[in-house]
């Protein structure tokens, strides 16, 4: 083990191992206080758990992301890091309910907070009791962070897996036999302490003949009480990649995900208001994935289930006691940057230059693209400041693949979309709410903030775009210009603001509107950076993460000089407009951040020179196809698709 056992002793504490017993104890104390006081505060045990979590740190709670689901004890406290993909309608549940002990005939009240069922087969619920209290809770459909790269997963789980796997019980402890042992221990404890009878026993697996007794408390939620905790079949990722419309693909925006989604139950209005769709959130809650032997769930949550190896539906539940919305998912930002900024910058520029065929100018623009992020919006979404989409033209499949492999090594989240005709015509870029099942089918563009999107236009082929293909191109165009994604919901479509840096690799100039177009000048074949020590990669990763989040200001003297310089630029070239100024200021900001400093006159001059050299590579007038017989086949294909797209855009919407 990498950690001393003394530092992990908290994993044996009751509030992590058996939190429901503590909740029951708190509820008993609450009922005694309410009987003694006329105005007792509302029952809310989440404050206790939140304080303990903040005391020991999130990283010391067992992680659902890093441990096999069947290795975690049922009804134990765990955490989960994921993206909120969808929300369900609020569901009613019994927050307080009256039960009768079949053995002693004793009647008492229990708390239904953080539970799916009664949790004890020796009690019966009186659903007609006037003492029952109904409340509502919100269910979030959460998925593992889309596009999370292997190195980021490894960094997050580097300490968590060893710690959790070493100290949590093996799978046998959560088996049916173990569940009966737990019940026997609970019965002995109840006989020794009559007050203990008011507390529910830890929920374990039971025989199928007992499932009728364990009647679900959910009045508007899932009927099956969840599912067996098993990962999806290994072949699901390959199947989803080959068939974009398969059920496995409909679960996740990025193909290849094999981890299970999680249904998170939210009990606090404050927590519900703090979370919105596409947010990456770290939840701490009470975990349950038991399957009670019922048929397929008929509720909304059943639509998001997949068929795993064991044939049961996979819908683990997490009853949230505490959460935090993550501003980023870069594990390198957990500690201050301790390296040399300029050294890390040069190492990264060398790696980018080798990947981009030895083009130093393209490497500089790629660095700025990696540092870009949306920092403000004006006039709705018509002016989005901070974004920098880049189109590298003059590249082939080798360069596109080399860039994809490099991004996987550098950024914590990354997705690649091939713009071949099968993908454009069959896949779905925008999320879509199915009107029949009310299920949200995720689109390839439903990504969390900071996810880098690589569009491989080199893969484009000649053919006919159908209605979905045109809609997908429109979705990509909107993402590039406004940084928004449309959720296609019948009668009430909704637009969500996003922050997804987009990189386009193409042979000719892209048919999509990028902020910056850089024709690549090839001086050498694309080369992957030589195998380096992991510390070098971590230095570049940490540099990118910290540089993107650094504060930035423009000194007063530099601001005045820039304003005067812009006046001179307009006098020299009347075509210089407000858009040009925004572009120059945006590039200057990114160059300054890459150096770890505020804007200086030297950096401003450097940016203007970069733009001058880039503009000299772009022909002033694009020749007509009839006057350009030497166009390559790839460029002809792009031109024909662009013409077809423009023609279909001019048709009435009902014809699409």
């Amino acid at each position: 083990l990498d950690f001393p056992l003394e530092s992990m002793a908290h994993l044996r504490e009751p509030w992590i191992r058996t939190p429901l017993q503590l909740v029951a104890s708190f509820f008993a104390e609450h009922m005694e206080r309410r009987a003694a006081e006329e105005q007792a505060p509302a029952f809310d045990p989440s404050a206790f758990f939140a304080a303990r979590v903040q005391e020991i740190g999130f990283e010391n709670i067992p992680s659902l992301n890093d441990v096999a689901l069947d290795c975690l004890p049922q009804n134990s406290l765990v955490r989960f890091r994921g993206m909120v993909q969808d929300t369900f309608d609020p569901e009613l549940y019994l927050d307080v309910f009256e039960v009768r002990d079949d053995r002693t005939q004793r009647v008492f009240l229990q708390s239904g907070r953080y539970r799916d069922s009664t949790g004890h087969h020796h009690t019966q619920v009186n659903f007609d009791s006037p003492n029952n209290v109904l409340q509502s809770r919100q269910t979030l459909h959460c998925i593992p962070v889309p596009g999370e790269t292997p190195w980021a997963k490894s960094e997050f789980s580097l300490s968590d897996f060893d710690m959790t796997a070493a100290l949590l019980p093996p799978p046998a402890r959560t088996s049916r036999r173990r569940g009966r042992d737990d019940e026997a221990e609970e019965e002995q404890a109840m006989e020794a302490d009559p007050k203990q009878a008011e507390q529910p026993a830890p929920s374990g697996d039971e025989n199928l003949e007992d499932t009728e007794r364990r009647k679900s408390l959910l009045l508007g939620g899932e009927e099956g009480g969840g599912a067996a905790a098993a990962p999806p079949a290994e072949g699901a990722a390959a199947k989803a990649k080959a068939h974009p419309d398969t059920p496995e693909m409909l679960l996740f925006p990025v193909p290849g995900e094999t981890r299970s989604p999680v249904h998170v139950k939210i009990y606090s209005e404050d927590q519900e208001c703090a979370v919105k769709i596409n947010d990456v959130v770290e939840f701490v809650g009470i975990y349950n994935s038991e399957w009670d032997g019922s048929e397929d769930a008929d509720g909304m949550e059943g639509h998001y289930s997949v068929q795993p190896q064991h044939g049961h539906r996979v819908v683990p539940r997490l009853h949230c006691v505490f959460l935090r919305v993550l501003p980023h998912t870069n594990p390198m930002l957990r500690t201050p940057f301790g390296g040399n900024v300029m050294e890390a910058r040069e190492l990264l520029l060398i790696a980018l230059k080798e990947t981009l065929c030895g083009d130093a100018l393209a490497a500089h623009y790629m660095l700025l693209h990696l540092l870009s992020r949306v920092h403000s919006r004006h006039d709705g979404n018509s002016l989005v400041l901070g974004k920098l989409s880049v189109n590298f033209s003059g590249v082939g499949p080798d360069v596109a693949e080399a860039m994809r492999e490099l991004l996987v090594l550098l950024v914590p989240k990354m997705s690649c979309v091939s713009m071949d005709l099968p993908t454009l015509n069959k896949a779905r870029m925008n999320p879509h709410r199915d009107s029949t099942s009310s299920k949200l089918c995720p689109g390839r563009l439903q990504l969390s903030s900071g996810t880098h999107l690589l569009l491989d236009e080199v893969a484009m082929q000649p053919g006919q775009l159908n209605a979905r293909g045109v809609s997908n191109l429109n979705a990509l165009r909107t993402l590039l210009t406004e940084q928004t994604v449309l959720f296609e919901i019948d009668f009430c479509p909704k637009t969500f603001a996003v922050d997804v840096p987009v990189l386009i690799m193409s042979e000719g100039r892209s048919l999509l509107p990028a902020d910056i177009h850089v024709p690549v000048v090839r001086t050498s074949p694309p080369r992957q950076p030589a195998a380096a020590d992991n510390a070098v990669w971590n230095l570049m990763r940490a540099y990118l993460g910290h540089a993107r989040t650094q504060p930035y200001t423009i000194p007063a003297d530099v601001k005045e000089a820039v304003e005067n310089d812009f006046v001179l630029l307009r006098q020299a070239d009347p075509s210089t407009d407000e858009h040009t100024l925004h572009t120059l200021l945006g590039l200057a900001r990114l160059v300054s951040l890459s150096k770890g400093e505020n804007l200086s006159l030297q950096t401003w001059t450097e940016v203007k020179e970069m733009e001058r050299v880039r503009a000299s590579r772009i022909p002033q007038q694009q020749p007509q196809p009839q006057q350009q017989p030497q166009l390559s086949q790839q460029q002809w294909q792009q031109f024909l698709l662009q013409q077809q797209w423009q023609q279909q855009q001019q048709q009435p919407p009902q014809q699409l």
Side-chain angles (χ1 to χ4, degrees):
L1 290 178
D2 296 331
F3 301 90
L5 292 176
E6 293 78 5
S7 66
M8 298 180 285
H10 61 274
L11 290 178
R12 297 294 185 181
E13 294 186 8
W15 67 277
I16 291 181
R17 296 293 304 227
T18 55
L20 286 182
Q21 290 186 8
L22 283 179
V23 172
S25 177
F26 294 154
F27 180 73
E29 295 175 1
H30 168 76
M31 296 302 295
E32 294 177 356
R33 183 175 180 181
R34 194 176 70 171
E37 302 178 12
E38 294 184 358
Q39 296 182 348
F43 177 60
D44 183 15
S46 63
F48 168 81
F49 292 102
R52 297 307 302 269
V53 170
Q54 292 178 323
E55 178 183 344
I56 70 170
F58 272 80
E59 64 278 2
N60 290 315
I61 303 296
S63 174
L64 202 60
N65 298 88
D66 309 320
V67 182
L69 300 185
D70 55 358
C71 289
L72 292 172
Q74 298 294 322
N75 298 321
S76 63
L77 197 73
V78 301
R79 61 188 167 96
F80 173 73
R81 184 184 70 259
M83 187 189 80
V84 180
Q85 187 183 59
D86 194 11
T87 59
F88 303 145
D89 293 333
E91 65 181 22
L92 294 176
Y93 75 102
L94 284 173
D95 190 49
V96 178
F97 56 94
E98 184 178 284
V99 297
R100 184 186 67 198
D101 193 317
D102 291 337
R103 298 167 300 178
T104 64
Q105 302 302 313
R106 188 165 178 267
V107 177
F108 52 92
L109 296 179
Q110 280 191 346
S111 171
R113 193 76 59 92
Y114 313 129
R115 288 179 171 273
D116 291 310
S117 61
T118 60
H120 204 291
H121 68 278
H122 292 302
T123 60
Q124 293 187 6
V125 180
N126 181 7
F127 290 98
D128 298 324
S129 172
N131 296 321
N132 294 346
V133 178
L134 281 176
Q135 294 288 354
S136 65
R137 59 189 177 191
Q138 181 69 52
T139 302
L140 309 177
H141 179 75
C142 301
I143 60 176
V145 179
E148 195 169 38
T149 50
W151 72 264
K153 295 178 185 178
S154 176
E155 287 292 332
F156 276 121
S157 63
L158 185 61
S159 60
D160 302 336
F161 182 82
D162 288 343
M163 174 183 64
T164 307
L167 294 183
L168 287 182
R173 291 182 62 88
T174 60
S175 65
R176 193 179 310 275
R177 181 184 300 273
R178 180 55 189 170
R180 292 187 178 273
D181 293 342
D182 289 341
E183 289 181 2
E185 293 175 3
E186 181 71 14
E187 292 174 7
Q188 295 175 3
M190 291 170 61
E191 293 175 358
D193 185 3
K195 185 178 179 181
Q196 187 74 10
E198 300 184 6
Q199 301 183 12
S203 180
D205 291 335
E206 301 172 1
N207 290 332
L208 295 181
E209 59 266 21
D210 293 330
T211 58
E212 290 300 324
R213 291 175 176 246
R214 300 180 61 237
K215 197 167 184 179
S216 174
L217 298 181
L218 304 182
L219 301 184
E222 54 192 303
E223 298 179 3
E234 295 179 358
K239 182 179 179 182
K241 186 175 181 180
H243 304 283
D245 286 332
T246 57
E248 291 82 0
M249 181 55 214
L250 296 179
L251 288 174
F252 307 106
V254 180
E257 182 60 69
T258 58
R259 296 171 294 178
S260 172
V262 176
H263 289 159
V264 180
K265 311 283 187 176
I266 301 292
Y267 292 83
S268 168
E269 292 185 1
D270 294 337
Q271 293 177 344
E272 180 181 345
C273 295
V275 176
K276 55 184 183 298
I277 287 183
N278 290 355
D279 279 349
V280 175
V281 186
E282 192 161 30
F283 301 94
V284 174
I286 299 173
Y287 162 75
N288 189 282
S289 66
E290 291 179 317
W291 180 66
D292 63 2
S294 63
E295 298 297 328
D296 294 347
D298 294 328
M300 173 75 72
E301 301 177 26
H303 290 294
Y304 288 92
S305 303
V306 296
Q307 297 294 335
Q309 293 174 345
H310 302 294
H312 301 154
R313 289 195 175 272
V314 177
V315 189
R317 278 99 54 216
L318 193 69
H319 296 267
C320 179
V321 299
F322 188 62
L323 63 83
R324 61 176 179 178
V325 179
L326 301 179
H328 63 82
T329 57
N330 191 337
M332 294 292 109
L333 294 182
R334 293 180 294 185
T335 57
F337 182 69
N340 183 282
V341 172
M342 296 307 295
E343 176 187 358
R345 184 177 187 268
E346 289 303 316
L347 287 173
L348 184 55
L349 283 173
I350 292 174
L352 295 172
K353 180 180 177 181
E354 291 179 350
T355 304
L356 289 167
C357 308
D359 191 336
L361 180 67
H364 277 82
Y365 276 101
M366 184 62 196
L367 172 60
L368 304 187
H369 167 74
L370 291 174
L371 298 178
S372 64
R373 64 181 179 91
V374 175
H375 58 79
S376 61
R377 297 174 184 265
H378 302 275
D379 301 328
N381 293 311
S382 59
L383 180 59
V384 183
L385 300 180
K387 71 181 182 71
L388 186 68
S389 56
V390 177
N391 169 214
F392 288 124
S393 63
V395 302
D398 54 344
V399 183
E401 177 61 20
M403 180 57 68
R404 186 197 66 80
E405 294 177 358
L406 181 62
L407 287 177
V408 169
L409 293 173
L410 287 176
V411 300
K413 295 180 293 185
M414 181 264 180
S415 177
C416 180
V417 175
S418 175
M419 294 186 64
D420 56 87
L421 283 178
T423 299
L424 291 176
N425 287 335
K426 295 181 180 180
R428 192 182 294 276
M429 297 299 164
N430 285 334
H432 170 72
R433 175 81 67 184
D434 188 285
S435 58
T436 303
S437 64
S438 296
K439 176 185 65 173
L440 181 68
C441 301
R444 299 292 297 271
L445 301 185
Q446 190 182 3
L447 304 169
S448 60
S449 294
T451 304
H452 290 261
L453 177 62
L454 173 63
L455 298 181
D456 185 5
E457 203 170 299
V458 178
M460 188 171 289
Q461 302 167 346
Q464 181 73 22
L465 286 175
N466 58 19
R468 178 175 289 190
V470 175
S471 175
N472 285 335
L473 285 180
N474 283 333
L476 291 171
R477 185 183 186 92
T478 302
L479 175 65
L480 284 161
T481 56
E482 301 179 4
Q483 279 293 300
T484 60
V485 172
L486 178 68
F487 279 54
E488 299 174 354
I489 306 174
D490 292 341
F491 309 113
C492 56
K494 185 174 180 59
T495 298
F496 285 84
V498 298
D499 182 11
V500 178
V502 183
L503 176 66
I504 307 174
M505 309 294 287
S506 60
E507 183 175 333
R509 184 163 189 167
S510 173
L511 55 86
L512 295 172
D515 296 321
I516 296 293
H517 172 217
V518 183
V520 175
V521 177
R522 301 175 66 117
T523 59
S524 63
R527 297 193 303 271
Q528 278 289 3
D533 186 83
N534 193 53
V536 177
W537 287 110
N538 285 339
L539 175 64
M540 294 187 288
R541 296 161 181 165
Y543 162 76
L544 285 175
H546 285 86
R548 293 183 80 244
T549 58
Q550 289 303 304
Y552 169 77
T553 59
I554 302 178
D557 57 333
V558 177
K559 181 178 180 181
E560 182 179 358
V562 169
E563 292 175 351
N564 296 333
D565 196 20
F566 183 67
V567 173
L568 297 177
L569 289 175
R570 295 201 63 177
Q571 292 176 352
D573 184 2
S575 64
T576 304
D577 55 8
E578 182 181 2
H579 175 73
T580 305
L581 177 61
H582 284 307
T583 300
L584 290 174
L585 288 175
L587 293 174
R589 173 180 175 274
L590 295 173
V591 173
S592 300
L593 290 176
S594 72
K595 299 178 179 180
E597 60 186 23
N598 293 322
L599 181 60
S600 63
L601 290 178
Q602 179 181 358
T603 299
W604 175 253
T605 303
E606 178 183 344
V607 168
K608 290 192 299 180
E609 178 62 18
M610 286 176 57
E611 279 292 271
R612 185 194 66 79
V613 176
R614 182 183 70 85
S616 66
R617 296 185 179 185
I618 303 174
Q620 297 299 317
Q621 295 182 353
Q622 295 293 337
Q624 297 296 324
Q626 295 83 355
Q627 301 173 346
Q628 187 79 350
Q630 67 272 24
L631 284 176
S632 67
Q633 181 181 3
Q634 182 71 26
Q635 292 171 322
W636 272 107
Q637 293 169 4
Q638 291 179 351
F639 173 76
L640 292 176
L641 280 175
Q642 186 174 19
Q643 294 297 312
Q644 177 192 345
W645 181 32
Q646 293 174 352
Q647 291 174 5
Q648 297 192 29
Q649 285 291 96
Q650 296 172 0
Q651 297 176 0
Q654 60 269 22
Q655 298 181 10
L656 293 180

